[in-house]
Amino acid sequence: MDMELIPAPVHVGAVGDEGPGAFPLDPSTTITAAPGTENTERWLRSTLGAAFGLPLAPPTAVEGGEGAANTIRLRIDPALDPEGYRLGAGPTGVEIAGGSAAGVFWGAQTLRQLLGPAAFRRAPVNPGSRPAVPFTDIEDSPRFPWRGMMLDVARHFLPKDDVLRYLDLLAAHKLNVFHFHLTDDQGWRIEIKRYPRLTEVGSWRSRTKHGHRASELWDETPHGGYYTQDDIREIVAYATERHIRVVPEIDIPGHSQAAIAAYPELGNTDVIDTTTLSVWDTWGINANVLAPTDNTLRFFEGVLEEVLALFPAATSPFIHIGGDECRKDQWKESPAAQARIDEFGLADEDELQSWVIRHFDTWLTARGRRLIGWDEILEGGLPAGAAVSSWRGYGGGIAAAEAGHDVVMCPEQHVYLDHRQDGGPDEPMPIGFIRTLEDVYRFEPVPPGLSEEAARHILGTQANVWTEVMQNRSRVDYQVFPRLAAFAEVAWSPLPASADRDFADFERRMTAHYARLDALGVDYRPPSGPLPRQQRPGVLGRPLEGPPPNV
């Protein structure tokens, strides 16, 4: 039975002997919510109720309560996988059973897709019509427990409402991890009350490089913004209602010039005059890194204390501390850094970075959290409980998994959505390798040859969205979609080996999905190429030719 669902469910069948048909929603349709499903009940009533102008009220005792006909029944069935669900639609109504509250919610996302593109609108476009759910029996559960997207709001700030919108888009694709990249050289985006200059100074830059760092163009408009602590609480609550975990990232010890511009004592003051530094206005790997001093450790412990209070353990068991692209030049020249190496009997600057990472791993573990960092944190040794985001390829993830560390596979050669989607001359600010919709669909998170024990350490996968050349929501949409839909199927569905995947079928189902994205107002890249308003002629990118290396 063809339902044009994305991501593809594990099993779709007909309901008993009912034959073809559909269950219509009308003003008398109710939602019956068993204990534990209240969040999904509210979500269905707000989304489908708005889209179709229906009350979708709870059933009354007169209507028969849980046994009532003409109802959408929600319940938890512990026999199912925690994020799994079973959706049945027949003449008397719809039932969604989930292994947990999250499973019920993912089943509700499938129900929304079954109701057609109109279910993704905010108000009825054809009030006289009655939406209907085709008779079906769907059984489904995800392949990976970690199905994520990293959104960089440090390079280009996205207002709070745009972040909330992206949480809805993740949920619509059954993605359950939002990696929130909050700090970098070009901006600090989270209010820390004990260090107000992080946002007073660190959240604004005077101008911005327009295009790749080799571009001669500049946008002279000051750029910035940050999320207040109440903004963060709202974002976290919104994610929690959608069963999305949030992984906040506070970069240590590299990618830190915005913090150093705000508090110059955090930098290597015995090498350069850090008081001359401002928030960085261009792109690339920055030499200005944190000094490995006790003052720096105490400062970021203070930052993280507030971060932990804003991101509760239930929603944010992992805290990302970056650890990538930390240039060691200043440490090599710094008497203070060299004294640290001698003090702790470290071999070199790589082990000095490892010492910093280990410090925060111990600190976070003592507070019931787990540290995760980019794969460079493997250099110089990694604490036992730390997890790795493998971005430079598969290699770091393989090494980490074989050593017993949990891994999220996000190799830049395959799932960096800032990389260009086509080789044509009209692609806006073309960066990196060509990664088409089909390339992303054929991405395999678990590399061949991994031992069975190591493969169990692959928590899942994540698509990363770096925003150096994405100045606003429309540019982010263009780079992310439609490829995030292909990625979501890779992360959720039990697909065959890469070469054996039926991309033609996925492309056919995408025809229906483009209509859903249209209804949601997503400014995706059309299959025929960028629209004139999506192009950026004359703005230099950095295209890389040929197939990406499989490293």
Side-chain angles (χ1 to χ4, degrees), residues 341-362:
I341 290 173
D342 294 340
E343 178 184 355
F344 292 103
L346 306 175
D348 53 22
E349 289 76 20
D350 284 344
E351 285 198 9
L352 181 57
Q353 174 168 332
S354 177
W355 174 81
V356 173
I357 301 300
R358 285 174 185 272
H359 174 87
F360 287 104
D361 178 76
T362 301

Side-chain angles (χ1 to χ4, degrees), residues 223-494:
H223 180 86
Y226 66 91
Y227 309 103
T228 67
Q229 294 205 349
D230 278 348
D231 290 340
I232 294 290
R233 292 184 183 98
E234 181 182 356
I235 289 165
V236 169
Y238 201 82
T240 303
E241 289 177 354
R242 285 148 184 78
H243 301 279
I244 294 172
R245 283 179 290 160
V246 183
V247 181
E249 179 175 352
I250 305 295
D251 268 304
I252 304 168
H255 288 284
S256 295
Q257 183 161 320
I260 297 169
Y263 291 92
E265 65 271 20
L266 296 173
N268 295 282
T269 57
D270 54 352
V271 177
I272 65 162
D273 180 1
T274 55
T275 63
T276 65
L277 296 178
S278 58
V279 177
W280 212 24
D281 56 13
T282 188
W283 320 121
I285 302 177
N286 192 309
N288 295 302
V289 303
L290 297 172
T293 62
D294 288 341
N295 176 67
T296 297
L297 300 182
R298 299 294 88 75
F299 184 96
F300 278 91
E301 286 170 3
V303 169
L304 290 170
E305 281 178 7
E306 295 193 26
V307 167
L308 296 192
L310 294 168
F311 295 89
T315 305
S316 302
F318 287 90
I319 304 296
H320 208 292
I321 49 72
D324 62 313
E325 297 180 329
C326 178
R327 286 174 58 176
K328 312 297 195 303
D329 309 46
Q330 291 182 357
W331 287 358
K332 290 176 181 176
E333 298 175 26
S334 163
Q338 293 303 310
R340 265 274 121 119
I341 290 173
D342 294 340
E343 178 184 355
F344 292 103
L346 306 175
D348 53 22
E349 289 76 20
D350 284 344
E351 285 198 9
L352 181 57
Q353 174 168 332
S354 177
W355 174 81
V356 173
I357 301 300
R358 285 174 185 272
H359 174 87
F360 287 104
D361 178 76
T362 301
W363 191 93
L364 288 167
T365 300
R367 288 155 181 80
R369 306 299 180 97
R370 291 186 64 188
L371 180 146
I372 186 168
W374 302 110
D375 55 60
E376 286 96 331
I377 67 173
L378 289 162
E379 298 163 5
L382 188 61
V388 169
S389 303
S390 187
W391 77 273
R392 290 181 294 179
Y394 288 108
I398 292 170
E402 295 285 5
H405 296 284
D406 288 341
V407 172
V408 177
M409 282 294 186
C410 48
E412 65 169 331
Q413 301 86 354
H414 304 279
V415 288
Y416 268 36
L417 300 185
D418 39 297
H419 283 219
R420 58 195 172 133
Q421 304 180 68
D422 188 86
D426 295 332
E427 291 304 310
M429 303 185 205
I431 300 294
F433 295 103
I434 297 170
R435 294 287 87 192
T436 64
L437 185 65
E438 181 172 0
D439 290 330
V440 174
Y441 189 68
R442 297 195 186 280
F443 165 62
E444 173 48 52
V446 181
L450 207 58
S451 70
E452 188 176 328
E453 184 177 350
R456 284 197 290 270
H457 283 288
I458 306 297
L459 298 177
T461 184
Q462 180 173 294
N464 293 340
V465 184
W466 299 103
T467 61
E468 285 93 337
V469 298
M470 301 181 215
Q471 308 95 314
N472 53 43
R473 186 178 90 178
S474 289
R475 278 289 288 126
V476 174
D477 277 4
Y478 179 90
Q479 292 299 132
V480 170
F481 289 99
R483 293 182 295 181
L484 193 71
F487 174 80
E489 186 148 309
V490 168
W492 178 279
S493 306

